[in-house]
Amino acid sequence: MGRLSGERALERIAALAREGRDLVSLWRDAGEVIARAVPHFMSPCWFTLDPASLLATSHYQAEIPELPGEWLLHEYGEGDVHTMAGVARSPSGASTLLEAAGGDPSRSRAWREFLRPNGADQELLVALRDRAGASWGVLGLDREPGRPEFERREIDLLRAAAPHLAEGARRALLIGEARDPDHPDGPGLI
């Protein structure tokens, strides 16, 4: 594991999620904690999901401010071996591309067309499920060629952090909508 112990990272993520932050601040600050505990390439890729449909409702990654439309087609239209909805539906709630592709990442269109050309070789997806099992988002981490595979203890740490991140995302979405003056029908908060 990285320079930050798993236990300390989990405590810090739980604290950040309870603070009632806006979504971008939560993702940015949680990403800094994760970077010290689970080394990865570039910044984390964060998505919010509609828990009922598992459709992506927002995306945040510092280096890629907007996802290409082709990526959405891959995610929702072409049955790739490793998708956010697939991981969100899975019993474990976490998966590496290498596992999903049976050891051959070239079986994945996303690997061939998006990950590899952008310098990444490995992908880890973790469903951000609340304690009731609803998926409010997905965290994606990549590693570049030549790096070790994601270790079980790293995946387990992120799975343990997932309920905190799900609740933080849910809270941030609710607070954001309540504060938005363009949504007069938004939720009321006391």
Side-chain angles (χ1 to χ4, degrees):
M1 201 159 292
R3 296 180 307 266
L4 186 62
S5 78
E7 185 176 308
R8 287 185 51 219
L10 188 56
E11 289 170 2
R12 182 67 186 129
I13 288 169
L16 289 169
R18 285 190 304 265
E19 289 178 3
R21 298 164 161 261
D22 66 272
L23 197 55
V24 170
S25 296
L26 174 63
W27 293 156
R28 185 188 59 239
D29 294 346
E32 290 174 8
V33 174
I34 290 168
R36 293 191 306 269
V38 181
H40 55 274
F41 176 66
M42 295 176 60
S43 63
C45 193
W46 300 95
F47 294 88
T48 54
L49 299 180
D50 169 55
S53 66
L54 299 180
L55 291 174
T57 57
S58 73
H59 160 264
Y60 175 76
Q61 185 177 23
E63 296 90 354
I64 303 174
E66 188 171 320
L67 288 174
E70 299 84 30
W71 182 88
L72 291 171
L73 179 61
H74 138 264
E75 179 66 28
Y76 294 107
E78 298 192 7
D80 204 328
V81 298
H82 201 227
T83 63
M84 294 187 308
V87 171
R89 285 185 193 101
S90 74
S92 72
S95 173
T96 67
L97 174 59
L98 201 58
E99 291 170 331
D104 180 8
S106 69
R107 292 183 50 217
S108 166
R109 177 175 178 239
W111 183 83
R112 293 188 312 270
E113 295 183 15
F114 305 111
L115 294 171
R116 202 66 168 148
N118 287 303
D121 187 50
Q122 299 179 51
E123 178 183 55
L124 168 64
L125 296 177
V126 179
L128 306 181
R129 294 179 180 155
D130 63 20
R131 297 195 194 295
S135 292
W136 288 90
V138 169
L139 164 62
L141 298 178
D142 299 326
R143 285 192 173 154
E144 61 270 43
R147 295 290 310 236
E149 292 179 29
F150 289 98
E151 296 177 11
R152 181 57 41 202
R153 63 188 168 136
E154 293 171 324
I155 297 168
D156 289 345
L157 167 66
L158 295 174
R159 286 182 61 217
H164 302 290
L165 292 165
E167 290 297 336
R170 184 172 167 256
R171 186 176 294 113
L173 291 168
L174 181 64
I175 290 170
E177 192 172 319
R179 289 181 181 162
D180 187 349
D182 292 334
H183 291 324
D185 296 331
L189 296 179
I190 297 176

